[in-house]
Structure formats: structure tokens, C-alpha cells
Amino acid sequence: MISIKDLVVQRDKKTVLHQLNLEINSGSVYALMGGNGAGKTTTINTLLGFIKPVAGQIHIDGVQLSEGGSLRSLIAYLPENVALYPYLTGIQNFQYFCTLANIRLSDAQAHDMLSDAGLDQKHHTRRAGMYSKGMRQKVGLAIAYAKHAKVMLLDEPTSGLDLAAANDFAEQIGHAAEKGMAILMATHDLQNARQVADQVGIMQNGYLVDEFRMAEVSADQLARKYLQFSQSAL
């Protein structure tokens, strides 16, 4: 579903992604890990079309990201903090963003999708300014379901979440994968990666320096691999 081949990205004539290669299948969760400046967010921004690569190819569901083109209709993006209008309710926010994407839903369909994304119905009509980060993420996830996105990109999704909210989020991402989405998650959170990912890639200074299936490593081995490259990058 996501295919990245020999991707090279430069900023101010400095290479920040070095011939990156990634393959992520439908129904799979890929955790892209590494320290600050490793290239995780640059990878996501390139997939979103915000950054133009100097070399390489990106395909999503067989469609190539071309010069000046976009694959955003196939992609759902959940940033570290999902921005909602604080004086609108959760369902009003959801319906508004769906309207912007030319998605028409009945009130009943909108409520069903918010519930499917894990937002308790009692919170649907609460103002979003009263929402926790985890609740805002669920509205973002509902939007992804509504647009029938085939790919979901997550940037540090569990930053600032308590343990219970992080576990709840992990369950929701698992459900999204079961729906067939290919999910790429940039994260520092070893525990969350352990819970939800079936593939892991570790980046350092713009290079993909290690890649493995989560089932192949123990929790201790994952921590050692992560620390090995994070510390050597300091």
C-alpha cells in the first residue's frame, strides 16, 4: 500500500533523507523510530506532499506521487495535536471537516462513525475545548474512516497521553489496521510501538539503519536497539 524507493530529500543543499526504502502493506502498522532530527517527520511530510524530494519514488495504492501532484485523498494524517474548533462540539467539528472534504453524512451516520472511532456518545455533543488529547484524536480517526483513507500517517500520537489513554489509542489503531489501513507511525514511545506495530524501522541522521518485525525482538531488545542508535546520534 505504501511503497517508498530510494527517496532522497534535501534542505538547504544538505541531504536529510538518504535513499530511504520502505514497504508497508494494507492492515500493517509500521513504527518509524529514532531520536530528534532522525528524519521521521520529514518522511511523513514528504508523503503528504509538503516536501519535494530530489530523487526516488513514492507510490500509495499503486499511484505515484508526481511532481506537483498529491495523494492526500488516499491519506489520513493525525498530527501530534489534532486541532479542533473549541467552541464547536465534537460532532459539529466532525461534520464540518467532512463537509470540507465533500463527504455528506446524516446525523446518525456521523454519530456512528464517532462511536466507531472510540468516542463515547456522551461526548459527541460536548464542546471540543473540553476534550482531552485522546478524545481529539478519536475525532481525527473518525474523519479518516469517513474519507475511506487507505493510509494513515501518525506523528508522535501518544506524546502527552497517560497510560490509560495510550492503551485506548493503541486499541483504536489496531481497529484501523483491521479495517485494512496501512499505518505509518513516527514515535519515540517504545511501549506504544510494542503494542501496535508489526514492523519497526529505526532512523538515524536521515538513514534507515535497522528494520525488523516486532515479533522478532523482545521488549529489552527493542529498547537496546533504539538506545543504541539514539545515543550514537548525540
Side-chain angles (χ1 to χ4, degrees):
M1 182 57 68
I2 302 174
S3 176
I4 301 174
K5 294 185 178 180
D6 298 324
L7 189 68
V8 179
V9 173
Q10 293 183 339
R11 287 184 178 173
D12 300 324
K13 298 183 179 180
K14 178 182 178 182
T15 301
V16 293
L17 282 184
H18 300 263
Q19 292 188 309
L20 177 65
N21 289 277
L22 285 179
E23 296 285 340
I24 307 174
N25 296 324
S26 297
S28 180
V29 182
Y30 190 110
L32 193 60
M33 309 190 73
N36 293 329
K40 305 185 303 297
T41 297
T42 297
T43 300
I44 287 177
N45 286 337
T46 305
L47 283 166
L48 289 169
F50 297 147
I51 298 174
K52 179 182 173 182
V54 298
Q57 293 184 342
I58 296 172
H59 289 82
I60 293 181
D61 195 24
V63 181
Q64 183 174 350
L65 175 64
S66 58
E67 183 174 344
S70 174
L71 298 175
R72 292 182 202 170
S73 63
L74 302 174
I75 297 173
Y77 171 54
L78 269 67
E80 184 173 350
N81 291 293
V82 175
L84 301 176
Y85 289 97
Y87 294 106
L88 297 180
T89 66
I91 195 161
Q92 287 171 337
N93 269 283
F94 175 59
Q95 290 173 319
Y96 173 70
F97 285 112
C98 285
T99 298
L100 291 181
N102 293 316
I103 300 168
R104 301 286 185 243
L105 298 172
S106 68
D107 287 347
Q109 288 174 318
H111 281 291
D112 286 346
M113 284 193 173
L114 284 173
S115 295
D116 194 30
L119 187 67
D120 194 300
Q121 189 155 1
K122 67 184 180 184
H123 298 306
H124 293 188
T125 54
R126 289 181 61 191
R127 287 185 177 181
M130 303 174 66
Y131 278 14
S132 66
K133 175 178 176 175
M135 292 162 67
R136 294 196 305 272
Q137 285 178 324
K138 290 172 182 177
V139 177
L141 185 57
I143 295 169
Y145 290 162
K147 69 183 293 190
H148 301 292
K150 295 188 176 183
V151 165
M152 184 154 53
L153 307 177
L154 309 171
D155 197 357
E156 301 295 346
T158 57
S159 172
L161 293 182
D162 61 29
L163 182 59
N167 286 336
D168 185 28
F169 175 79
E171 289 184 12
Q172 297 306 321
I173 294 304
H175 294 327
E178 289 171 1
K179 290 176 181 289
M181 285 189 185
I183 300 170
L184 176 61
M185 176 177 67
T187 183
H188 291 96
D189 187 338
L190 295 177
Q191 180 171 333
N192 181 247
R194 186 78 189 163
Q195 280 181 288
V196 304
D198 44 58
Q199 299 180 81
V200 180
I202 299 179
M203 297 193 73
Q204 179 189 48
N205 298 327
Y207 291 93
L208 186 66
V209 292
D210 201 356
E211 190 176 38
F212 47 90
R213 296 194 64 81
M214 187 65 80
E216 297 171 351
V217 299
S218 67
D220 287 344
Q221 288 172 325
L222 175 63
R224 286 198 296 270
K225 283 176 176 286
Y226 178 78
L227 291 172
Q228 172 190 350
F229 294 112
S230 296
Q231 291 173 347
S232 61
L234 297 177

